[in-house]
């Protein structure tokens, strides 16, 4: 009974009061429920809350925010609406035109037709291959070939074309074998239709046409009075007569028999001699005057691989053939590499003479700046280097005055060199007016880090040491700036001594 009374009171406050609800719990406790946000209007219930409604979440981010499934079982359908529902990555629901969604992502037009259903058909209209699109149909037209149409060959035309060759027949002088037509060598062509009279046949220059030659202009007639012998023609007139012995070379007067049975050869003298039918060239008989002339600064020889004819060679080609001078081979002087300090040794290598009483001094004539965007990047001090030869011991001493763009910008000074069997050197350079960095080293391009300060002006780097290289190469003075885009400048007048 107590439960029935509680439900009645709850119904009363919901339906008739409409401003609030008071419910009584099973223990008889009154519970005040605020219903000011929910109202009834006929059969409709609505919420006056201007905020968001959450189902499954206490922090809704939209007017209706659910974390579970959403179902519209009785939703209708139609064929006219053009918008569809879409959702973003957070589940927010919006609408979008179908045409907008397909743009750039789907085929919407073919040859100007945008129907959703389109058809391809074949045809024969037109005078050349063409594609005709109308309504929702695309017609691919290939007309039948004719005198005015470019197109496909009809079956009847193909039969006629294919039978053309087979219908050809030949007689007497010509023979057909499948696709080959041959003029028979055993047959004589007895008649030419354009030659209708007796006479000599001539050809016309340029065209090759055959015709009957004309007496007097094309040739001169012989006479019955001519004796037996060799005919000759008179220059200019073409008159025929019998040749005499004087019309032939002197050779005719000094031989007996005919050309097929000559037994006595002409006597050859000089460097070319003959005995019977054997002809020979005298050894060492050909002089330079008898050789073909050659251009200035040209050698006779051969650079092409394999055995062959003598060739004219340029100085460069001739030099490439010769040996290079070594300690065991005579030949050309090897390349020196330039400079004025190296001399050719007996083993064929250019090198600086050894000995403690000979020094070479190199001095720079312009500033060299190290200001890389990447800090602590080694650069060469241009001009401060010397070449070395494997197995030779060298001593060196470099003194480089330098400046810094800021006192907080330090530096490092070192050398680069070829692989060596012995290397010992030190580098020392300014920190401030009364201190310096000193390194004792046995590996190139060390130390790896710059010191932290420099004098803006008045700094000095000194590098000295001994090296015995294992391979030929170059010893190069190098330096780096501690900070990117701040400069260390090796000043003109820097020196390098080596001996």
């Amino acid at each position: 009974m107590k439960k029935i009374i509680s439900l009645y009171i709850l119904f009363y406050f919901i339906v008739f009061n409409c401003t609030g609800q008071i419910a009584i719990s099973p223990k008889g406790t009154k519970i005040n429920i605020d219903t000011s946000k929910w109202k009834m209007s006929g059969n409709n219930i609505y919420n006056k809350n201007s905020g968001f409604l959450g189902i499954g979440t206490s922090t809704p981010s939209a007017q209706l925010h659910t974390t579970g499934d959403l179902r519209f079982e009785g939703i209708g359908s139609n064929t006219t609406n053009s918008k569809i529902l879409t959702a973003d990555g957070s589940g927010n629901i919006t609408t979008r035109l179908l045409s907008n969604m397909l743009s750039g992502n789907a085929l919407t037009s073919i040859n100007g037709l945008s129907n959703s259903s389109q058809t391809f058909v074949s045809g024969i209209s037109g005078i050349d291959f063409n594609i005709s699109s109308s309504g929702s149909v695309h017609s691919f037209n290939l007309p039948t070939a004719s005198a005015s149409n470019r197109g496909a060959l009809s079956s009847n035309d193909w039969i006629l074309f294919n039978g053309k060759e087979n219908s050809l027949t030949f007689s007497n002088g010509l023979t057909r074998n499948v696709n080959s037509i041959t003029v028979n060598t055993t047959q004589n062509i007895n008649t030419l239709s354009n030659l209708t009279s007796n006479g000599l046949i001539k050809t016309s220059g340029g065209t090759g046409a055959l015709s009957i030659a004309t007496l007097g202009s094309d040739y001169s007639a012989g006479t019955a009075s001519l004796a037996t012998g060799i005919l000759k023609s008179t220059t200019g007139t073409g008159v025929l007569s019998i040749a005499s012995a004087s019309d032939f070379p002197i050779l005719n007067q000094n031989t007996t028999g005919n050309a097929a049975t000559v037994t006595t050869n002409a006597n050859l003298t000089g460097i070319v001699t003959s005995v019977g039918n054997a002809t020979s060239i005298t050894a060492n008989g050909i002089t330079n005057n008898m050789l073909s002339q050659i251009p200035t600064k040209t050698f006779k020889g051969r650079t092409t691989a394999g055995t062959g004819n003598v060739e004219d060679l340029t100085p460069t080609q001739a030099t490439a053939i010769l040996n290079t001078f070594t300690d065991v081979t005579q030949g050309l002087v090897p390349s020196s590499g330039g400079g004025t300090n190296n001399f050719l040794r007996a083993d064929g290598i250019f090198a600086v003479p050894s000995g403690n009483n000979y020094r070479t001094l190199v001095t720079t004539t312009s500033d060299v700046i190290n200001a890389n965007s990447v800090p602590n990047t080694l650069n060469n001090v241009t001009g401060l280097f010397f070449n070395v030869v494997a197995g030779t011991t060298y001593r060196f001493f470099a003194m480089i005055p330098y400046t810094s763009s800021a006192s907080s910008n330090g530096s490092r000074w070192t050398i680069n060199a070829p692989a060596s069997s012995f290397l010992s050197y030190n580098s020392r350079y300014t920190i401030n007016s009364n201190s310096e960095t000193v390194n004792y080293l046995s590996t190139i391009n060390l130390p790896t880090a710059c010191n932290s300060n420099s004098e803006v002006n008045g700094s000095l780097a000194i590098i000295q040491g001994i090296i015995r290289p294992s391979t030929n190469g170059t010893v190069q003075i190098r330096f780096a700036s501690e900070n990117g885009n701040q400069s260390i400048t090796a000043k003109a007048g820097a020196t390098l001594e080596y001996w």
Side-chain angles (χ1 to χ4, degrees):
M1 183 67 178
K2 186 180 295 184
K3 292 181 179 179
I4 295 174
I5 294 172
S6 297
L7 290 172
Y8 177 79
I9 294 172
L10 175 61
F11 178 78
Y12 173 80
F13 278 98
I14 292 175
V15 175
F16 296 100
N17 193 17
C18 295
T19 58
Q21 299 179 23
I22 298 176
I24 299 175
S25 70
K27 294 183 179 181
T29 304
K30 293 182 178 180
I31 302 173
N32 184 22
I33 300 175
D34 182 9
T35 61
S36 61
K37 299 299 183 181
W38 291 93
K39 294 295 182 181
M40 293 185 63
S41 176
N43 292 327
N44 299 324
I45 298 176
Y46 66 94
N47 190 291
K48 298 194 305 178
N49 182 13
S50 61
F52 298 158
L53 173 62
I55 301 176
T57 176
S58 60
T59 57
S61 60
Q63 194 169 27
L64 175 60
H65 184 168
T66 175
T67 60
D69 296 334
L70 187 63
R71 181 174 178 177
F72 300 97
E73 184 173 356
I75 194 167
S77 64
N78 66 75
T79 60
T80 59
N81 291 352
S82 59
K83 291 185 178 180
I84 61 175
L85 288 177
T86 62
D88 63 13
S90 299
N92 295 310
I93 305 298
T94 56
T95 63
R96 184 173 180 181
L97 289 173
L98 178 61
S99 60
N100 177 267
M101 177 173 287
L102 294 178
S103 178
N105 299 307
L107 184 65
T108 59
S109 175
I110 301 177
N111 204 25
L113 303 185
S114 57
N115 305 61
S116 59
S117 176
Q118 301 185 30
T119 305
F120 297 98
V121 299
S122 62
I124 60 172
S125 64
I127 61 173
D128 202 345
F129 174 77
N130 64 91
I131 300 175
S132 174
S133 300
S134 178
S136 63
V137 178
H138 303 275
S139 298
F140 289 72
N141 295 304
L142 181 61
T144 301
S146 68
S148 59
N149 292 349
R150 178 178 178 267
L153 196 65
S154 68
S155 298
N156 290 336
D157 288 341
W158 166 252
I159 293 172
L160 291 174
F161 173 79
N162 193 45
K164 290 294 185 182
E165 183 181 351
N166 292 329
S167 65
L168 295 176
T169 59
F170 303 94
S171 62
N172 298 330
L174 298 178
T175 301
R176 175 180 175 275
N177 181 14
V178 188
N179 295 322
S180 299
I181 299 174
T182 306
V183 177
N184 296 335
T185 58
T186 59
Q187 297 294 327
N188 295 319
I189 300 176
N190 297 320
T191 303
L192 296 176
S193 60
N194 66 322
L195 301 178
T196 58
S197 61
N198 296 329
L200 298 175
I201 298 175
K202 70 173 183 178
T203 60
S204 299
T207 65
L210 299 178
S211 60
I212 301 299
T214 301
L215 177 63
S217 60
D218 295 320
Y219 69 95
S220 297
T223 65
S225 61
L226 291 179
T228 301
I230 300 174
L231 286 177
K232 70 174 182 178
S233 63
T234 303
T235 303
T237 65
V239 175
L240 298 177
S241 61
I242 298 299
S244 63
S246 61
D247 294 320
F248 296 92
I250 299 302
L251 177 65
N252 182 68
Q253 308 300 321
N254 297 328
T255 59
T256 61
N258 54 52
T261 58
V262 173
T263 57
T264 304
N265 296 321
N267 294 326
L268 301 178
T269 59
I271 62 172
V272 179
T273 59
S274 63
V275 177
N277 292 325
T279 302
S280 61
I281 300 176
T282 303
N284 303 318
I286 298 176
T287 65
N288 288 333
N289 292 335
M290 298 178 182
L291 298 177
S292 62
Q293 294 184 340
I294 61 175
T296 304
K297 298 181 179 178
T298 300
F299 297 87
K300 288 291 185 181
R302 181 175 175 82
T303 60
T304 303
T307 302
N309 296 329
V310 175
E311 299 171 339
D312 290 338
L313 306 182
T314 65
T316 300
Q317 290 174 313
T319 300
I321 297 175
L322 300 176
N323 294 326
T324 300
F325 164 73
T326 68
D327 55 344
V328 295
T329 305
Q330 293 180 336
L332 299 174
V333 175
S335 177
S336 69
T340 59
N341 300 319
N342 294 341
F343 295 88
L344 183 62
R345 304 189 320 191
D347 58 0
I349 298 175
F350 277 94
V352 175
S354 59
N356 296 329
N357 59 350
Y358 179 86
R359 292 193 179 195
T360 300
L361 176 66
V362 178
T363 304
T364 62
T365 58
S366 59
D367 294 350
V368 181
I369 301 174
N370 186 322
N372 295 288
S373 58
V374 179
N376 193 25
T377 301
L378 285 171
N379 281 357
N380 294 337
V381 180
T382 304
L384 290 191
F385 71 91
F386 64 96
N387 296 322
V388 294
V389 176
T392 302
T393 300
Y394 299 87
R395 293 162 178 80
F396 57 92
F397 179 85
M399 186 164 55
I400 310 103
Y402 68 94
T403 61
S404 176
S405 60
S407 60
S408 60
N409 182 40
S411 65
R412 65 178 172 123
W413 299 80
T414 183
I415 67 169
N416 194 18
S420 59
S421 59
F422 178 79
L423 174 63
S424 179
Y425 69 102
N426 63 53
S427 66
R428 50 198 308 164
Y429 37 94
T430 305
I431 299 177
N432 52 45
S433 60
N434 55 18
S435 61
E436 64 180 351
T437 296
V438 180
N439 304 291
Y440 292 90
L441 308 162
S442 60
T443 304
I444 63 174
N445 296 321
L446 292 181
T448 59
C450 297
N451 63 10
S452 57
N453 295 288
S454 300
E455 285 290 289
V456 174
N457 296 298
S459 293
L460 183 66
I462 295 176
I463 305 175
Q464 58 185 353
I466 301 174
I467 184 173
R468 185 183 301 114
S470 303
T471 60
N472 299 347
T474 300
V475 175
Q476 172 70 59
I477 305 298
R478 310 187 78 192
F479 71 123
S481 176
E482 178 192 14
N483 300 321
N485 296 318
Q486 290 189 350
S487 63
I488 295 294
T489 302
K491 303 300 290 182
T495 59
L496 169 64
E497 292 181 87
Y498 59 95
W499 62 98

